[in-house]
Amino acid sequence: MAATGGCVAFSTVVRSCQLTPSPSSGNLRPNPSQRQFAVSSESQFTTTVRSETKRTTSFGENGIFKEKHKEEAREGVTKEKQKNPYELGFERNESDEDRSRKSLKDYFEESNDLIRSGGGGGGPPRWFSPLDCGSRLDDSPLLLYLPGIDGVGLGLIMHHQSLGEIFDIWCLHIPVKDRTSFTDLVKLVEQTVRSENCHSSNRPIYLVGESLGACLALAVAVRNPDIDLSLILANPGTSFEKSQLQPLIPLLGIIPVQYQLSLSYMLSSMTGDPLRMAMDKVMKGLPLQQTAEGLLKDVAAMPSYVYVLANILPEETLLWKLKMLKSASAFANSRLHAVKAQTLLLTSGRDQLLPSEDEGKRLRRALPKCEIRRFNDNGHYLFLEDGVDLVTVIKGASFYRRGKCHDYAFDYIPPTPTEFKNLCESNRLFMHATSPVMLSTLEDGKIVKGLAGIPSEGPVLFIGYHMLLGCELVPMVVHLLLERNIIMRGMAHPMMFMRKKEGNLPELSSFDTYRIMGAVPVSGINLYKLLSSKAHVLLYPGGLREACHRKGEQYKLIWPEQSEFVRMAARFGAKIVPFGVAGEDDFGEIVFDYDDQMKIPFLRDFIKSLSEEADTVRTGLNSEVNQDVHSPVVLPKFPGRFYYYFGKPIETEGRMSELRDKDNAHELYVQVKSEVEKCLAFLQEKRESDPYRNLLARLAYQSTHGFDSEVPTFEL
């Protein structure tokens, strides 16, 4: 919802704000059609229903990102809106998402408004739904935000808009003067959870809590093991006994100056290191003058922040909240063994209030269904810091679902332009070093530069050669999005998504970017789902064996003998696009491969232990295709160039009956393999005539034409 000058909305269903509703109170669910009270910046109540410019976000076939405004449908969509949104992200210094994202200043201003408009901080705890949440997806799950010791409920203010597009958000507000006990708060949240579960038992309920709110979420999960809950816990207060907050309890009532010191200490935890954040902005490419002006404004606003923080946490309230946090920590810790809910832990490396980093390790071992994401450079108030996007974290962890379990195909949310831009920025040097050349084939068989030959409408199945260590993926995915606005849903090894046990494999968080960009675990059911949704799917028949090949096996296709994808493609009439990639031999040379490593006993045992940590892709096939998890030792070379060639699409529509026959399916399988080999041979031959194959030649060209200029290649 949107409202001029509005910040939050309290539902007129007042019974949802009471700890013990009357028998006639009915469902606690706010009704969007009812009037809402909006607390404006002038601290005045209004009961008018606001006219909105409703925004709907949809994702069309092939995962193509689309945004529409209903008013624009009548007035005509502007030319800028017709452009590729990912391409637009590079034409601007900052995206629309960045400009609309609220700041720490908004948190303090709206918190002050909320306290003043709420009768000076009185009344019982109650739920509210932010007005700045966007129009959400169908069947969006409920998200209940449980605040920390501030109790305001605006801790997600920087994330309301993005979260509101995929969640139904309710935030818990605990007034300043309220003295509800921890157990009664648990009952309040529990009552809401049970009511919503009865209302819609097929959708999960997310509990997002930080510090005190995390203890509250754990307590509710313990008391409701049969309700489908997903917990997102940021710097949980379960480590209170080891924190620097505990000594404040006996001192607050005795030493007056201790209160002011406590507020200053908490404020420093909220604002973080201004100089470090300013340097981060400069590194991201923001103008130095703009960054310096922002830094000065933040420093000048500090006194007003202290004043608002004193209103949020008066001395008596701060003492009450710290005592509550102590009891909440003891309550949650004594019952951790009973938590069955899926949990995502978010821990900060620079938390000055709680030892969150160590606590995250402890909770990860104690909670059965737990994943962790670490933020080494962030402080205690994680959700109020720039550079942290909760939606991106949820997507990267595959933690978003609308049903009983996460569906990698249908619960997927395409990357935002900002997420895509961050991917490109993090791989910018690699992209310049490889300077990829993209070639594709039109329907008439003509080879052209660029990706014009890639079919726009799905389903499309890309079948190709997996380069050493999969280093061809980023340029290919980036160019498809930039040039054609097509998301490539890659079928990836299961070790990127789940583990049988903890061990020496890289943490799952290291693969978050792959999941954000559309990767799914390779399986028949996932391929079925993706093709049925008319997606553009990437499949490597050679898989890990090809990506971790032996010495002398570059550009050799190592595929299973029987066809694996042909009949599935024919079932949905998918176009099969064979492709080849060349250039790995210009970037590195394998000097210590799998065969060499297996000759050394301790390395052999290490490789076997790695393979036992993750599921295997194929079972019952010959050893030529199967591959243990390992990493070959590669000696870097002076960079050459990457070349991609997408062959002519092979039609399977109308051939389902024909390809049910095993021999016919195998014949097409052999044809696809042959086309990939032809693509590889074409690239290896043509690159010899590329005058800019060497990095020095490309740098010389860019020195006169601009660093971001496109470097020419061989003639077709």
Side-chain angles (χ1 to χ4, degrees):
M1 299 173 67
T4 305
C7 61
V8 293
F10 286 110
S11 169
T12 55
V13 187
V14 181
R15 54 184 172 268
S16 68
C17 307
Q18 299 173 351
L19 292 177
T20 310
S22 64
S24 62
S25 59
N27 199 317
L28 298 180
R29 180 179 178 81
N31 186 346
S33 64
Q34 292 179 305
R35 295 183 302 171
Q36 294 185 335
F37 293 105
V39 185
S40 69
S41 57
E42 294 80 20
S43 301
Q44 295 177 344
F45 285 105
T46 175
T47 57
T48 59
V49 179
R50 282 160 163 61
S51 60
E52 307 172 29
T53 302
K54 292 188 177 180
R55 185 164 69 85
T56 59
T57 303
S58 61
F59 308 107
E61 294 178 359
N62 316 321
I64 295 178
F65 184 98
K66 298 178 181 179
E67 249 188 17
K68 298 179 181 178
H69 290 264
K70 288 189 176 181
E71 288 188 354
E72 290 176 345
R74 294 190 297 268
E75 299 172 4
V77 182
T78 62
K79 290 184 178 180
E80 185 179 57
K81 289 295 181 182
Q82 292 176 343
K83 291 184 179 179
N84 183 346
Y86 299 106
E87 187 178 3
L88 286 175
F90 284 87
E91 297 176 2
R92 302 165 174 165
N93 288 329
E94 57 179 350
S95 66
D96 292 334
E97 305 161 65
D98 297 328
R99 287 194 293 269
S100 62
R101 181 181 170 101
K102 292 191 175 181
S103 64
L104 185 64
K105 179 182 177 183
D106 295 308
Y107 166 80
F108 281 109
E109 289 180 351
E110 298 189 12
S111 294
N112 197 41
D113 292 340
L114 183 56
I115 292 171
R116 287 188 294 149
S117 63
R126 59 259 201 187
W127 298 103
F128 68 86
S129 182
L131 286 176
D132 48 352
C133 291
S135 300
R136 56 185 181 269
L137 298 176
D138 295 335
D139 301 321
S140 294
L142 176 66
L143 186 150
L144 302 180
Y145 171 66
L146 310 176
I149 60 172
D150 64 298
V152 179
L154 291 175
L156 293 178
I157 191 169
M158 295 184 179
H159 313 269
H160 283 165
Q161 186 170 7
S162 56
L163 283 172
E165 294 180 352
I166 60 176
F167 287 105
D168 180 8
I169 304 178
W170 297 8
C171 302
L172 181 63
H173 173 66
I174 305 173
V176 174
K177 297 180 181 179
D178 178 71
R179 296 296 180 263
T180 302
S181 68
F182 177 74
T183 54
D184 283 339
L185 286 176
V186 171
K187 292 177 183 178
L188 169 64
V189 178
E190 180 181 50
Q191 183 182 21
T192 305
V193 165
R194 290 180 176 178
S195 173
E196 283 302 299
N197 185 62
C198 290
H199 176 81
S200 183
S201 59
N202 292 325
R203 69 171 182 169
I205 298 176
Y206 283 72
L207 301 182
V208 179
E210 51 182 343
S211 63
L212 175 63
C215 296
L216 191 55
L218 287 168
V220 173
V222 167
R223 292 164 58 100
N224 298 272
D226 296 328
I227 294 180
D228 188 9
L229 298 176
S230 289
L231 311 184
I232 300 177
L233 312 180
N235 299 321
T238 48
S239 61
F240 180 77
E241 289 186 358
K242 302 175 183 178
S243 74
Q244 301 183 46
L245 293 174
Q246 189 173 15
L248 295 178
I249 295 178
L251 296 178
L252 280 175
I254 302 174
I255 307 175
V257 71
Q258 186 64 42
Y259 173 65
Q260 294 298 328
L261 293 175
S262 301
L263 288 183
S264 300
Y265 189 62
M266 293 179 66
L267 182 62
S268 67
S269 298
M270 300 178 80
T271 56
D273 184 352
L275 185 59
R276 179 182 63 83
M277 292 188 289
M279 291 301 298
D280 289 342
K281 292 180 179 179
V282 172
M283 293 298 293
K284 291 179 180 179
L286 293 180
L288 181 60
Q289 181 178 358
Q290 177 183 341
T291 303
E293 291 175 354
L295 178 61
L296 292 175
K297 289 180 181 179
D298 291 339
V299 173
M302 290 296 179
S304 64
Y305 293 169
V306 174
Y307 170 77
V308 176
L309 191 57
N311 289 336
I312 295 173
L313 289 172
E315 186 172 355
E316 300 82 5
T317 301
L318 177 58
L319 182 59
W320 169 263
K321 292 291 180 66
L322 290 177
K323 290 180 178 178
M324 182 191 292
L325 182 55
K326 181 178 181 179
S327 63
S329 175
F331 185 97
N333 279 318
S334 66
R335 295 163 174 80
L336 285 178
H337 63 279
V339 177
K340 307 300 181 186
Q342 181 187 26
T343 305
L344 178 63
L345 283 176
L346 312 179
T347 61
S348 298
R350 297 188 179 184
D351 191 341
Q352 300 175 4
L353 301 182
L354 298 171
S356 296
E357 194 169 18
D358 293 336
E359 183 66 5
K361 297 175 183 177
R362 184 182 76 91
L363 291 178
R364 186 183 187 184
R365 294 190 298 267
L367 300 174
K369 301 177 183 177
C370 183
E371 286 191 39
I372 190 169
R373 295 297 182 270
R374 297 180 177 88
F375 299 83
N376 297 327
D377 297 325
N378 296 91
H380 179 75
Y381 294 92
L382 188 62
F383 298 142
L384 291 176
E385 294 196 24
D386 291 329
V388 177
D389 190 318
L390 182 54
V391 171
T392 300
V393 173
I394 291 172
K395 289 158 64 175
S398 298
F399 209 71
Y400 182 75
R401 58 190 175 92
R402 283 170 279 185
K404 291 295 182 182
C405 58
H406 178 76
D407 190 313
Y408 288 99
F410 298 125
D411 283 331
Y412 175 67
I413 301 171
T416 64
T418 297
E419 291 166 345
F420 175 66
K421 187 176 181 181
N422 291 338
L423 168 70
C424 295
E425 291 296 329
S426 63
N427 290 278
R428 187 176 183 183
L429 290 179
F430 180 72
M431 294 284 288
H432 279 294
T434 58
S435 188
V437 175
M438 297 286 170
L439 306 175
S440 61
T441 309
L442 302 179
E443 292 184 0
D444 59 3
K446 181 181 180 181
I447 302 174
V448 295
K449 294 178 181 178
L451 299 174
I454 303 297
S456 299
E457 299 297 324
V460 174
L461 184 59
F462 296 92
I463 302 293
Y465 168 68
H466 210 354
M467 192 183 284
L468 179 64
L469 301 179
C471 52
E472 81 281 3
L473 284 169
V474 171
M476 182 165 57
V477 169
V478 166
H479 276 266
L480 266 174
L481 267 175
L482 279 178
E483 293 186 32
R484 300 297 310 277
N485 191 18
I486 291 174
I487 292 177
M488 181 179 277
R489 305 296 308 276
M491 307 292 287
H493 196 282
M495 70 177 176
M496 296 184 178
F497 302 88
M498 61 200 76
R499 301 287 162 76
K500 291 180 180 178
K501 60 180 181 178
E502 293 297 323
N504 295 306
L505 283 175
E507 289 195 354
L508 288 174
S509 58
S510 60
F511 302 108
D512 283 1
T513 301
Y514 292 90
R515 290 191 284 268
I516 290 173
M517 297 308 298
V520 303
V522 59
S523 71
I525 185 62
N526 283 335
L527 180 60
Y528 179 95
K529 290 178 179 179
L530 289 173
L531 293 179
S532 68
S533 63
K534 299 185 178 181
H536 286 68
V537 185
L538 171 64
L539 177 64
Y540 291 110
L544 186 64
R545 176 64 179 85
E546 215 166 68
C548 296
H549 58 69
R550 321 291 200 253
K551 287 181 286 189
E553 289 184 342
Q554 60 267 25
Y555 308 123
K556 175 185 176 182
L557 299 187
I558 309 171
W559 292 14
E561 294 181 2
Q562 66 269 34
S563 61
E564 295 184 312
F565 55 83
V566 171
R567 279 180 281 189
M568 186 75 77
R571 182 186 183 96
F572 299 100
K575 299 178 181 68
I576 299 176
V577 178
F579 72 93
V581 189
E584 69 168 78
D585 51 339
D586 282 344
F587 276 80
E589 180 180 356
I590 299 177
V591 294
F592 198 55
D593 64 10
Y594 175 78
D595 293 336
D596 296 327
Q597 296 177 34
M598 291 298 286
K599 295 175 183 178
I600 302 175
F602 81 89
L603 285 179
R604 180 172 63 246
D605 294 339
F606 181 72
I607 290 173
K608 292 299 181 183
S609 67
L610 289 180
S611 300
E612 291 171 358
E613 294 174 25
D615 288 324
T616 57
V617 176
R618 298 181 175 101
T619 57
L621 296 182
N622 60 63
S623 58
E624 176 67 14
V625 176
N626 288 332
Q627 177 64 64
D628 291 329
V629 177
H630 78 290
S631 179
V633 178
V634 180
L635 182 66
K637 291 183 177 181
F638 196 72
R641 197 172 192 181
F642 279 2
Y643 302 86
Y644 298 74
Y645 173 33
F646 295 89
K648 183 179 179 181
I650 299 173
E651 295 282 353
T652 65
E653 188 173 6
R655 301 180 64 184
M656 186 171 67
S657 298
E658 171 195 349
L659 294 175
R660 283 177 180 169
D661 181 78
K662 186 176 181 180
D663 292 336
N664 291 337
H666 184 71
E667 183 180 345
L668 181 57
Y669 179 75
V670 172
Q671 179 189 348
V672 173
K673 185 177 182 180
S674 175
E675 290 297 322
V676 174
E677 290 173 333
K678 289 178 182 178
C679 291
L680 290 171
F682 175 85
L683 292 175
Q684 291 177 78
E685 177 186 354
K686 295 295 291 184
R687 68 176 177 172
E688 298 296 332
S689 60
D690 184 0
Y692 300 101
R693 179 178 174 183
N694 188 275
L695 176 62
L696 293 179
R698 297 198 298 274
L699 291 176
Y701 179 88
Q702 291 176 324
S703 65
T704 57
H705 294 79
F707 188 64
D708 292 324
S709 60
E710 183 178 353
V711 181
T713 185
F714 51 77
E715 294 294 330
L716 293 174

